[in-house]
Amino acid sequence: QAALDSAKEAVTLSMTMLGILAFWMGLMQVGSASGLIGRMTRGIRPALRCLFPGIPEEHPALEQIAVNCIANVLGLGWAATPAGLSAMKQLKKLDARTGYATDAMCDFLILNISSLQLIPVNIIAYRTEYGAVNPVVVVGPAILATCVSTGAALLFIKLRHLLSSSR
């Protein structure tokens, strides 16, 4: 009975998360079609140019990195994945060596893993699904935790840039 109950719960949770994913992916599509994502991408481009100085100005990787960062800030890790994979492919094209991650790829991975989030959609959905009285109570602590992790990632990336340029 426990195995059947667990299987039912897994399917229910998967359907809930799929619905949330579809909703937010739809919002990302509306944002993209309306030009909002493009404006947001242009808005964070100066910061990305500072973080990724080795990427040429109009390289497609910068746009994919921006879309990934925007999706992560909105708490849409699932929606960020395709842009992240595309960014990695574009970054790989900048280096002729095979089998090695470039500095930009490593920096992007560090930034992506730190995952600054303003809305922790996944956690709110899980808490809602399991009957939490106040599922959004995690928003404040999540913002604080992801600000700290992203700050540490940015500091690490900039220190690595400084150390590698001094060699």
Side-chain angles (χ1 to χ4, degrees):
Q1 184 62 38
L4 291 176
D5 289 344
S6 294
K8 179 182 175 186
E9 185 176 327
V11 169
T12 302
L13 182 60
S14 295
M15 294 306 292
T16 299
M17 298 312 283
L18 183 62
I20 291 167
L21 173 64
F23 173 75
W24 284 103
M25 288 294 292
L27 281 181
M28 288 290 285
Q29 289 297 323
V30 169
S32 181
S34 71
L36 179 62
I37 300 298
R39 286 192 297 278
M40 291 172 78
T41 298
R42 285 188 296 281
I44 66 170
R45 188 173 284 264
L48 294 179
R49 294 291 309 134
C50 179
L51 285 173
F52 301 98
I55 301 175
E57 182 72 33
E58 294 300 320
H59 196 275
L62 283 175
E63 182 177 344
Q64 295 302 314
I65 291 170
V67 170
N68 177 273
C69 290
I70 290 165
N72 274 328
V73 165
L74 295 175
L76 309 175
W78 303 311
T81 300
L85 293 173
S86 180
M88 284 296 200
K89 288 177 186 174
Q90 292 294 329
L91 290 171
K92 187 62 185 161
K93 291 178 182 178
L94 292 173
D95 191 358
R97 298 177 302 162
T98 58
Y100 292 96
T102 66
D103 287 345
M105 291 169 80
C106 293
D107 291 345
F108 174 57
L109 185 61
I110 292 166
L111 182 63
N112 191 34
I113 290 170
S114 74
S115 189
L116 176 62
Q117 290 185 11
L118 298 179
I119 309 166
V121 173
N122 297 351
I123 301 302
I124 293 170
Y126 292 136
R127 290 176 51 83
T128 300
E129 181 66 26
Y130 289 110
V133 175
N134 187 1
V136 297
V137 75
V138 297
V139 171
I143 290 172
L144 178 63
T146 61
C147 281
V148 169
S149 67
T150 301
L154 294 172
L155 180 64
F156 179 82
I157 291 169
K158 291 315 284 180
L159 283 174
R160 194 190 61 71
H161 286 181
L162 287 172
L163 291 174
S164 67
S165 67
S166 67
R167 290 183 201 169

